[in-house]
Amino acid sequence: MEEKKKLLENCRVLDFTNQLGFLCGKILGDLGADVIKVEKPGGDESRNAGPYYKDIPDPEKNLYWFSYNHNKRGITLDIEKKTGREILKKLIENTDILIETFAPGYLAKLGLDYEDLCKINPKLVMCSITPFGRTGPYKDYDGSDLIYMAMSGFMSLVGDPDRPPVRVTLPQSYMWTGMHAAAGTMMAYYYRGLSGEGQHVDVSAQAGVLWACSIAPSFYDYNKELPGRAGVFITGRSITGAKMRAVEPCKDGYVNYIIYGGPAGIRTNMRMTEWMESKGGAPDYLKNKDWKKFNIATVTQAEIDQIEDANNEFLKGVTKKEFFDTCLEKDMLGYPVTTSQDTMEDEQLKSRGLWKEIEHEELGTKITYPSFFTKFSTLACDLWRKAPLIGEHNEEIYAELGYSREDVLNLMRANVI
């Protein structure tokens, strides 16, 4: 079989990002770019945020760092030192893309803003990822996952209606932002291929997470009211205000089973009743129901509650596998709620070759990673190397700039790298 081509094989990327931009650099690396992660001497501060391998705090054994910094080589460089800035300018001469998450104005004070760097390399594509963007009244504000989730509006939709809004436990905003940054960077790089011109890409984390609220405009368009928190319920499908449970407990966890309308929903409701009857009996009100006349838009809450009470009691006695197998066999709408362990054992993900074991010599073991974000018919997208240790490739990369081993040692002694 012909070897797949790396889309970004001849593209060099300098990655000066924290968690806001980790994923952007990783995506470019997955597509074959030579991504160089640049940390300050001693390592990036984000290495100090866990979790750690075997829960032992160690910046070189940080699992979060491993997850989003593989497919990158790593160097250290202090750009606040004059020598460090001179080295960066040498790197820029042969750099295609620079991604960074410094506060707006920080690089300008060092003479390293886009306007300065594009004088060295007019074809440079530079992606700046900041909490609120580089312009506007909030441009100088700091941010965090909690702030992006709240100020994007996403939190207003998550949680129970009678309790305060909540955020998803593991930070999600950084992933949304990283994906937007990768898409914007790729568009600018594509345009450079057409025009020969570099440009500055300005990504706002607040605006990036706004896309996670995609339910809101369609909800308003249909109901002419602003959506709110509904907890475990689905709302907005009935003119009577009836709400439907989205998740039901089962014998070994939870399943996603919702009372739907339309042909697929009516078919599912009928076959669920038949399944109940085959396992010991469905309530008469379900067996006698004229499902063909069931209308989700006009159903009352009392009717929904009656149906869900029967479903709830029945589903407690079946496993996730029994449920999913039956949904497939009977062409019903329904899905198991998978746990992390379920995901690792999922036949579909295994058959697509998603998981890949990578040797970690520093840990004396292998770690399993997802190896690609997309499968292409002719392009390669893979996990090429593990995340770098602090300054792991200093000697290798600085040698490419013409620095000898003695030069590198002197730079280390001067704490420039």
Side-chain angles (χ1 to χ4, degrees):
M1 181 181 293
E2 186 177 349
E3 187 173 348
K4 290 185 177 180
K5 180 179 175 56
K6 293 180 179 178
L7 179 67
L8 300 179
E9 186 166 19
N10 298 311
C11 176
R12 169 164 286 187
V13 179
L14 290 184
D15 181 344
F16 279 89
T17 68
N18 57 22
Q19 60 266 37
L20 260 185
F22 283 167
L23 184 61
C24 175
K26 192 191 94 61
I27 289 173
L28 301 180
D30 292 353
L31 294 171
D34 176 19
V35 182
I36 300 173
K37 184 79 189 77
V38 188
E39 302 178 69
K40 65 181 183 181
D44 193 287
E45 290 174 357
S46 57
R47 286 181 179 269
N48 298 321
Y52 299 94
Y53 181 67
K54 294 194 174 181
D55 290 331
I56 301 172
D58 183 335
E60 297 282 40
K61 299 178 180 179
N62 185 308
L63 298 173
Y64 184 71
W65 177 269
F66 292 165
S67 298
Y68 296 105
N69 286 291
H70 54 258
N71 285 342
K72 302 176 185 179
R73 296 193 286 170
I75 61 172
T76 49
L77 182 65
D78 185 351
I79 59 173
E80 294 194 349
K81 288 186 165 63
K82 182 181 178 183
T83 304
R85 292 194 290 275
E86 290 170 353
I87 292 173
L88 173 59
K89 290 176 180 177
K90 284 186 180 180
L91 284 165
I92 289 295
E93 291 174 8
N94 293 307
T95 292
D96 299 288
I97 296 170
L98 185 149
I99 52 178
E100 58 92 6
T101 52
F102 296 115
Y106 172 80
L107 288 176
K109 289 179 183 175
L110 298 176
L112 299 172
D113 209 356
Y114 174 70
E115 287 71 21
D116 303 304
L117 299 180
C118 72
K119 291 175 184 171
I120 301 170
N121 180 355
K123 290 187 174 182
L124 179 70
V125 170
M126 180 166 166
C127 178
S128 295
I129 310 165
T130 52
F132 296 95
R134 290 171 55 84
T135 58
Y138 300 167
K139 68 180 177 61
D140 295 320
Y141 290 178
D142 204 350
S144 68
D145 179 72
L146 181 60
I147 292 171
Y148 309 140
M149 298 298 256
M151 294 187 68
S152 67
F154 184 70
M155 272 175 61
S156 70
L157 304 175
V158 181
D160 294 313
D162 57 344
R163 301 177 67 185
V166 295
R167 64 183 270 256
V168 182
T169 51
L170 189 73
Q172 301 290 308
S173 61
Y174 305 143
M175 307 307 112
W176 279 94
T177 306
M179 286 189 289
H180 279 270
T185 301
M186 289 293 291
M187 290 301 104
Y189 188 63
Y190 175 74
Y191 181 75
R192 191 187 88 161
L194 297 175
S195 67
E197 299 173 9
Q199 64 179 296
H200 197 182
V201 180
D202 176 359
V203 177
S204 154
Q206 180 196 27
V209 181
L210 189 63
W211 287 87
C213 306
S214 57
I215 183 179
S218 52
F219 187 99
Y220 182 82
D221 185 51
Y222 186 72
N223 296 292
K224 303 304 179 197
E225 61 182 77
L226 295 175
R229 295 182 300 285
V232 298
F233 296 97
I234 300 292
T235 60
R237 295 187 175 180
S238 168
I239 60 174
T240 68
K243 55 188 182 182
M244 302 85 190
R245 295 185 68 88
V247 175
E248 298 281 2
C250 69
K251 198 171 183 177
D252 57 350
Y254 294 90
V255 296
N256 176 255
Y257 185 77
I258 304 171
I259 305 298
Y260 287 106
I266 290 172
R267 181 181 68 244
T268 298
N269 298 335
M270 292 173 66
R271 293 179 182 175
M272 172 59 94
T273 303
E274 292 167 1
W275 187 22
M276 283 187 201
E277 182 64 12
S278 71
K279 292 292 185 181
D284 289 341
Y285 62 85
L286 289 186
K287 289 191 293 185
N288 298 329
K289 195 171 190 60
D290 187 354
W291 286 110
K292 292 181 181 177
K293 294 183 179 177
F294 181 75
N295 186 343
I296 197 69
T298 57
V299 69
T300 65
Q301 189 64 58
E303 192 177 356
I304 287 291
D305 291 344
Q306 192 178 40
I307 299 169
E308 287 184 341
D309 285 348
N311 291 343
N312 178 271
E313 194 60 32
F314 174 72
L315 290 170
K316 286 178 183 174
V318 303
T319 65
K320 287 188 286 189
K321 185 175 187 315
E322 285 177 294
F323 174 76
F324 192 45
D325 288 346
T326 302
C327 286
L328 294 175
E329 178 191 336
K330 296 182 179 293
D331 196 17
M332 295 163 50
L333 299 173
Y335 326 92
V337 178
T338 58
T339 63
S340 299
Q341 183 175 348
D342 295 334
T343 301
M344 294 299 295
E345 296 171 353
D346 186 274
E347 293 178 5
Q348 174 65 14
L349 297 176
K350 283 183 181 177
S351 73
R352 285 174 57 81
L354 180 67
W355 306 117
K356 188 171 187 176
E357 283 193 332
I358 295 294
E359 185 75 44
H360 277 259
E361 295 85 358
E362 75 279 20
L363 305 179
T365 190
K366 294 180 179 178
I367 293 180
T368 302
Y369 292 83
S371 61
F372 57 85
F373 65 87
T374 297
K375 296 189 87 164
F376 300 89
S377 60
T378 57
L379 296 176
C381 179
D382 206 339
L383 199 169
W384 316 102
R385 63 166 76 233
K386 69 176 181 62
L389 302 175
I390 299 171
E392 181 177 349
H393 302 99
N394 275 351
E395 196 169 328
E396 177 181 308
I397 292 171
Y398 288 125
E400 293 170 7
L401 279 184
Y403 290 92
S404 66
R405 190 164 188 275
E406 184 63 27
D407 292 333
V408 171
L409 289 173
N410 287 334
L411 289 169
M412 291 176 67
R413 292 188 190 104
N415 210 30
V416 174
I417 67 173

